[in-house]
Amino acid sequence: MLPQKQAEEAIVPGLAETDRDDGKDDDGQIRDGGDIGSDHSGFSVKSILWHGGSAWDAWFSCASNQVAQVLLTLPYSFSQLGMLSGIILQVFYGLLGSWTAYLISVLYVEYRARKEKENVSFKNHVIQWFEVLDGLLGPCWKAAGLVFNCTFLLFGSVIQLIACASNIYYINDRLDKRTWTYIFGACCATTVFIPSFHNYRIWSFLGLGMTTYTAWYLTIAALIHGPAEGVTHSGPKKLVLYFTGATNILYTFGGHAVTVEIMHAMWKPRKFKYIYLMATLYVFTLTIPSASAVYWAFGDQLLNHSNAFSLLPKSGFRDAAVILMLIHQFITFGFACTPLYFVWEKVIGMHDTRSICLRALARLPVVIPIWFLAIIFPFFGPINSAVGALLVSFTVYIIPALAHMVTYRKASARQNAAEKPPFFLPSWTGMYVLNAFVVGWVFVVGFGFGGWASMTNFVRQVDTFGLFAKCYQCKPPTPPAATAAAPIH
């Protein structure tokens, strides 16, 4: 009789705890039965920069993906929530998001264990969240996961384009934000050439460095600037604003719609369990100080400035932060779009294609609607809250918690589970109680109140600025001296 661990590895070869690369094709896909100790395990430049699958790679991917443009809108959320609520909700939703990311990782391991017992091969195939739901719970769950996940990632990509245009405007305002959106849409379309999450190793590392610099620039610049003249901190003032800010924070820590793809890119997927939590703890060191400092310095002015860059004085440090965030938003655009590329490839039958150029050409239709939507709805802060309430609440909170409860509802499923309850909550009953709390809280507070508030705020932005707004929240042009004075009647 084999020991338990050897038995697991014999049954689940794709999840075997090996310290070496399990073999990947040149396009970064996992190759089942690959030659362990192949060329990818060496110290070549290609291996170091291109083929990533370690726990550290996953940590960098999670932390980098979690804080992108949202770093710039959190001070805006603090102006809606107030300082105390802003900090408490960051910690609360950060822990809640880490829990549901853990649930997703458990369900991935369960799905893959069951499939590999049936000798299903995942050669040149990236497992995605909707496939996990389909394999464990059936086609109805697959449809729900596919609709919510794809729609969330679609608008997540839209937000990155809006953020690019919003940021570059503070360096070069000779072009309006809509024109910058055209330009960055073309730039971000080049992400079609990045095959999979294996190939984001260097980008994830650099991306986290960029957001770390930006967060500490915001913190230090706000503290040096000090309180603005006549600054007030009246938040929270209105329920609409309060729940809009709360759903933006829910969105901040709900960036794990790509969890399954990141896990699948790991050499040892079982090690993912607590990676998202570790990433979230690091993110706290960036988001809480920066949002608190900028809100302390500018207070209620932030209610009309959803991008923190707009209030900080122009300097070389600010320009450097803007440029770094632009690069990072390009990376995050790729993170959000890559799962959409996979879905589209599977729909048109191109997912197994080895040619990177052919796959890139096939992926281009995914970018076009994203580009178009970014031009229609250029509302930087409000769209974050709307996406958080209507999509993130289901995609990364409610559906994973419900799916875990249904998957393990039977005693036999719990007994044969590939992953047992965690050490800090060893009871299945405790897991059910916690999952039920997540579902109830997010549905009522996040989707219910948050959806009402964020859509109310979003509609106000449309009424104020209109669709296809040329330059959302830009400073009005200075009138000529001769016509500046009001006419006398």
Side-chain angles (χ1 to χ4, degrees), residues 50 190-197 199-200 203 330 334 338 341-342 356 363:
W50 190 248
T190 59
T191 58
V192 297
F193 289 99
I194 302 177
S196 76
F197 283 99
N199 313 121
Y200 275 97
W203 294 114
F330 166 82
T338 298
Y341 296 153
F342 292 157
I356 291 177
R363 290 172 169 189

Side-chain angles (χ1 to χ4, degrees), residues 284-301:
F284 284 155
T285 69
L286 306 181
T287 58
I288 294 176
S290 60
S292 301
V294 175
Y295 177 56
W296 169 79
F298 297 102
D300 291 348
Q301 290 183 48

Side-chain angles (χ1 to χ4, degrees), residues 423-444:
F423 70 92
F424 57 87
L425 196 66
S427 165
W428 284 100
T429 301
M431 292 193 74
Y432 266 75
V433 170
L434 182 53
N435 287 340
F437 170 78
V438 171
V439 172
W441 176 275
V442 175
F443 184 80
V444 174

